[in-house]
């Protein structure tokens, strides 16, 4: 570890704020911070580590095991994403606030949307969801939620919100916002809070900039002894989900004082770092990072800004370049990232039949290595003739009831398996592509969007679609939303290790036929070495085999 990383990990401050830009070893610091905090625990206490996503949780668990070992990590650290932790609190203590726990139904991502459609849907759906989301960011009872809905201006959106909420309460069904709301209510009950504060002698919170004030409250209420927050305000890209980066940071600074800031990047090659810094400086002057190990990159890496005629030619070129990279370095990981999934359709189609290397779509649960491994291991224990429906029940039974994210992925994976021609679970499982569940990101191509890829890294990254209307999106072209779109771009670029390519097209297909696509307003500011595919291919030829990772 570097001096600045070690200072952060071993600080004797009870409450600590760590500002860690992308690639600065935040997960490593948190793992060593957890190891350091263990020494201060009282008997039978544990460290609670809270992450924002399931993948971030997996990354942190993997790093903790490498630092502490499997047994010690399992014994002394509890790692949860925030919704999983909130669900655990609700399942354990929901009866305290009058919830009917026997028939309580836990949420899925699609639960709210299906409820809106069942209640009539239409053009009011978006605003109705916003109303309920805003209200439920407060520790209100069900009755208080209904009262709060009536405080909004009369109209179809209020009527729909009220109808959906009444139906939810009658069905005893929780939505994601309800899980957080009820957990906050419970942790504000002194007797419940004391249970957690006694059990957890330290709490570590990853990606603090993505928290809502409600989620921050959950973290603060869960532990009062020692609190560590790590993240980067320049990567705050979840305001649409209730995140409040400025308010959260102000509250944390009040409790923790001035932050420790990390300045050295261990992820990106010097060339990639130049491109990332060119955008970082636009977002926040003076925020550039330095390469911690420039000698690790003999070729200094590769960056290119490529202009293609249309999306078809873009997909064809990317397939060719990906093939060249993986032919040269089969162990390389390549992330193809767009702001929105629709912009990647031609690329997904071009790669759909690829057999010479692995292609994984991150929006498909059936492509998640951890979920696939769980399904395979469970099905192996079932009778040979067990049906796919039997297997679904068995796999869900094997998962913690509080892990609602994993349970939803399992459901999604089985929905895909049920579409196959297989008559038994074992037949269906044999059709699944096998990936190493121990690798969050394995060799091959990974297709994903900006928010899904947050916190991940790839040897090569293609940031696709630097056009107005996609990045920034049409609905986010001004004010605070535009500023956040620029941070989204920064997050996408900073996933890259050795190579980074950004693309845009001249012509796009619209509702009324082809039209001239306008370059993203940020396109001219991105610093890239190459501007043609031939230069990229020449770079690949000059690099030694295996040097592209």
């Amino acid at each position: 570890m570097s001096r600045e990383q070690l200072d952060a990990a071993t600080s004797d401050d009870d409450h600590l704020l760590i500002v860690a830009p992308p690639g600065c070893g935040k997960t490593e610091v948190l793992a060593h911070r957890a190891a350091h905090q263990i020494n201060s625990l009282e008997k039978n206490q544990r460290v609670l580590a809270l992450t924002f996503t399931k993948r971030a949780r997996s990354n942190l668990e993997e790093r903790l095991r490498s630092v502490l070992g499997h047994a010690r990590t399992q014994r002394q650290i509890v790692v949860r994403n925030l919704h999983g932790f909130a669900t655990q609190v609700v399942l354990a203590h929901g009866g305290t606030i009058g919830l009917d726990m026997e028939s309580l139904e836990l949420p899925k991502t699609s639960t709210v949307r299906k409820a809106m459609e069942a209640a009539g849907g239409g053009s009011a759906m978006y605003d109705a969801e916003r109303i309920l989301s805003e209200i439920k960011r407060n520790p209100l009872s069900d009755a208080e939620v209904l009262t709060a809905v009536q405080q909004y201006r009369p109209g179809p959106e209020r009527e729909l919100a009220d109808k959906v909420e009444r139906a939810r309460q009658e069905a005893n069904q929780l939505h994601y916002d309800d899980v957080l709301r009820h957990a906050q209510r419970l942790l504000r009950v002194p007797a419940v809070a004391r249970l957690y504060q006694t059990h957890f002698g330290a709490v570590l919170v990853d990606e603090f900039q993505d928290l809502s004030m409600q989620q921050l409250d959950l973290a603060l209420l869960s532990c009062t002894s020692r609190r560590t927050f790590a993240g980067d305000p320049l990567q705050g890209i979840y305001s649409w989900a209730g995140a409040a980066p400025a308010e959260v940071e102000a509250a944390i600074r009040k409790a923790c004082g001035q932050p420790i800031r990390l300045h050295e990047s261990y992820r990106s090659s010097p060339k990639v770092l130049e491109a990332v810094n060119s955008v970082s400086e636009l977002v926040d002057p003076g925020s550039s990072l330095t390469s911690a190990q420039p000698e690790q990159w003999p070729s200094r890496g590769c960056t290119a800004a490529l202009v293609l005629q249309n999306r078809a030619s873009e997909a064809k070129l990317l397939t060719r370049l990906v093939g060249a990279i993986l032919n040269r370095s089969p162990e390389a990981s390549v992330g193809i990232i767009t702001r929105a999934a629709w912009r990647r359709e031609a690329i997904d189609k071009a790669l759909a039949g690829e057999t010479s290397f692995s292609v994984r779509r991150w929006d498909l649960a059936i492509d998640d290595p951890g979920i696939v491994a769980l399904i395979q291991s469970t099905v192996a224990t079932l009778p040979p003739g067990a049906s796919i429906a039997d297997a679904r029940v068995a796999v869900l039974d094997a998962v913690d009831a509080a892990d609602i994210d994993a349970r939803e992925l399992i459901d999604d994976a089985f929905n895909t398996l049920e579409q196959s021609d297989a008559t038994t679970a074992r037949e269906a499982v044999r059709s699944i592509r096998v990936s190493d569940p121990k690798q969050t990101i394995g060799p091959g191509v990974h297709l994903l969007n900006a928010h899904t890829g947050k916190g991940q890294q790839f040897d090569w990254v293609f940031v696709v679609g630097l056009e107005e209307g996609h990045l920034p999106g049409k609905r986010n072209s001004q004010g605070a939303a535009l500023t956040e779109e620029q941070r989204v771009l920064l997050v996408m670029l900073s996933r890259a290790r050795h190579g980074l390519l950004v693309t845009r097209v001249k012509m796009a297909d619209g509702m009324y036929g082809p039209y001239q696509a306008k370059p993203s307003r940020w396109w001219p500011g991105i610093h890239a070495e190459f501007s043609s595919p031939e230069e990229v291919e020449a770079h690949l030829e000059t690099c030694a085999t295996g040097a592209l990772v």
Side-chain angles (χ1 to χ4, degrees):
M1 297 182 74
S2 69
R3 183 73 258 171
E4 65 178 14
Q5 289 176 323
L6 191 61
D7 287 345
T10 61
S11 171
D12 290 328
D13 291 345
D14 287 340
H15 307 309
L16 184 66
L17 172 60
I18 304 168
V19 174
C24 287
K26 171 174 59 67
T27 307
E28 185 76 15
V29 170
L30 281 174
H32 283 274
R33 180 70 175 166
H36 180 72
Q37 297 282 49
I38 285 173
N39 299 324
S40 303
L41 297 180
E42 296 178 11
K43 187 178 179 180
N44 298 323
Q45 282 191 325
R46 303 172 83 183
V47 175
L48 172 64
L50 295 173
T51 67
F52 197 70
T53 66
K54 177 180 176 290
R55 289 191 178 93
R57 173 187 170 182
S58 297
N59 287 346
L60 183 55
E61 285 177 328
E62 183 179 332
R63 202 64 56 89
L64 284 164
R65 285 192 290 268
S66 71
V67 172
L68 293 167
H70 180 79
R72 198 176 179 201
T73 298
Q74 194 169 33
R75 186 173 65 251
Q76 296 187 292
I77 313 287
V78 175
V79 187
R80 293 281 186 271
N81 61 28
L82 278 151
H83 274 99
F85 176 66
T87 303
Q88 188 177 30
V89 173
V90 171
L91 290 177
H93 308 285
T96 304
I97 53 175
L99 298 183
D100 178 0
M101 302 306 298
E102 287 191 10
S103 63
L104 190 67
E105 188 176 345
L106 295 175
K108 298 178 184 178
T109 302
S110 60
T111 301
V112 173
R113 183 52 55 92
K114 288 181 178 178
M116 290 284 174
E117 291 171 350
S123 59
M125 284 176 56
Y126 176 81
D127 287 329
E129 285 186 38
R130 177 185 54 79
I131 288 172
L132 290 175
S133 179
E134 287 176 354
I135 290 171
K136 293 180 182 182
R137 287 174 203 156
N138 300 285
L140 303 178
S141 68
D142 285 356
E144 289 171 328
V145 168
L146 289 174
T147 299
V149 169
Q150 295 306 313
Q151 304 307 310
Y152 280 76
R153 186 175 61 185
E157 58 277 355
R158 190 185 82 175
E159 182 179 339
L160 181 60
D162 183 78
K163 188 175 181 180
V164 166
E165 178 58 18
R166 290 182 186 279
R168 182 202 67 77
Q169 292 186 20
E170 289 172 7
N172 201 24
Q173 160 81 65
L174 295 186
H175 296 168
Y176 269 102
D177 292 337
D178 298 305
V179 171
L180 295 173
R181 170 173 65 95
H182 288 317
Q184 186 182 25
R185 293 175 65 205
L186 284 163
L187 286 174
R188 288 193 171 192
V189 177
V192 174
R194 276 196 299 273
L195 292 173
Y196 289 87
Q197 293 163 10
T198 300
H199 186 63
F200 295 119
V203 62
L204 310 176
V205 183
D206 188 20
E207 303 286 24
F208 69 82
Q209 74 281 351
D210 292 332
L211 302 176
S212 66
M213 290 300 290
Q214 183 177 61
Q215 291 166 332
L216 174 62
D217 200 36
L218 292 179
L220 295 175
L221 290 167
S222 66
C223 174
T224 57
S225 305
R226 298 167 193 86
R227 299 162 172 162
T228 299
F229 298 88
D232 178 19
L234 298 191
Q235 295 184 79
I237 60 172
Y238 281 95
S239 66
W240 54 271
E247 295 89 338
V248 166
E249 184 181 0
I252 294 173
R253 280 178 178 260
K254 188 175 180 180
C256 299
Q258 287 299 311
I260 292 178
R261 181 180 173 84
L262 306 183
H263 300 85
E264 298 176 329
S265 170
Y266 291 81
R267 173 185 298 165
S268 302
S269 67
K271 288 294 183 183
V272 168
L273 206 53
E274 286 176 14
V276 172
N277 285 340
S278 68
V279 175
S280 177
E281 286 292 327
L282 295 175
V283 178
D284 182 24
S287 62
S288 290
L289 301 176
T290 58
S291 178
Q293 300 168 324
E295 70 283 353
Q296 181 181 335
W297 316 92
S299 66
R300 293 183 59 79
C302 175
T303 54
L306 307 179
V307 181
L308 290 311
Q309 182 60 32
N310 53 41
R311 294 175 192 168
S313 59
E314 177 186 64
K316 186 176 180 180
L317 173 65
L318 263 59
T319 302
R320 189 176 91 208
L321 291 177
V322 165
I325 292 168
L326 294 172
N327 182 57
R328 197 81 176 164
S329 294
E331 72 278 19
S333 58
V334 182
I336 299 179
I337 311 176
T338 53
R339 172 66 177 85
W342 60 262
R343 182 57 182 81
R344 217 183 53 242
E345 287 176 358
I347 299 167
D348 289 3
K349 185 177 180 180
L351 290 168
E354 186 59 56
T355 57
S356 58
F357 49 79
S358 168
V359 178
R360 176 182 160 199
R361 277 184 54 180
W362 283 36
D363 57 344
L364 296 180
I366 201 66
D367 277 1
D368 186 294
I371 296 300
V372 169
L374 178 62
I375 291 173
Q376 290 173 325
S377 62
T378 305
V379 168
T381 67
L382 300 177
S387 68
I388 296 174
D390 292 334
R392 183 197 294 260
V393 173
V395 175
L396 288 171
D397 284 345
V399 177
D400 183 355
D403 195 348
I404 53 179
D405 291 336
R407 296 177 73 84
E408 178 169 18
L409 287 172
I410 290 165
D411 264 337
D412 288 347
F414 273 100
N415 288 342
T416 301
L417 291 177
E418 285 176 346
Q419 295 172 17
S420 71
D421 295 329
T423 56
T424 68
R426 291 195 179 186
E427 285 180 31
V429 165
R430 281 196 287 270
S431 69
I432 305 176
R433 288 183 293 188
V434 178
S435 301
D436 185 352
K438 296 178 181 178
Q439 291 184 297
T440 304
I441 298 175
V445 177
H446 301 260
L447 303 166
L448 61 153
N449 64 35
H451 289 83
T452 307
K454 193 168 183 295
Q456 309 302 320
Q457 59 179 310
F458 305 88
D459 298 314
W460 286 76
V461 166
F462 293 76
V463 175
V464 176
L466 266 290
E467 304 112 13
E468 293 288 315
H470 174 247
L471 190 61
K474 292 179 181 179
R475 295 174 62 177
N476 303 314
S477 59
Q478 58 185 351
L482 178 62
T483 302
E484 183 160 317
E485 286 287 279
Q486 195 172 31
R487 296 199 296 269
V488 169
L489 173 60
L490 179 59
V491 167
M492 295 165 76
L493 299 174
S494 59
R495 303 306 96 202
R497 296 186 70 252
H498 178 94
L500 171 64
L501 283 74
V502 295
T503 71
R504 68 175 179 87
V505 295
K506 296 178 182 177
M507 299 297 296
D509 293 323
M511 186 180 299
Y512 304 106
Y515 67 94
Q516 189 167 356
K518 185 178 180 181
S520 168
R521 65 195 71 190
W522 299 310
W523 176 267
I526 299 175
H527 187 282
E529 182 180 17
F530 302 140
S531 58
S532 72
E534 292 74 22
E535 291 173 300
V536 176
E537 290 170 319
H539 171 84
L540 297 177
E541 287 297 323
T542 58
C543 283
T545 301
L548 304 181
V549 298

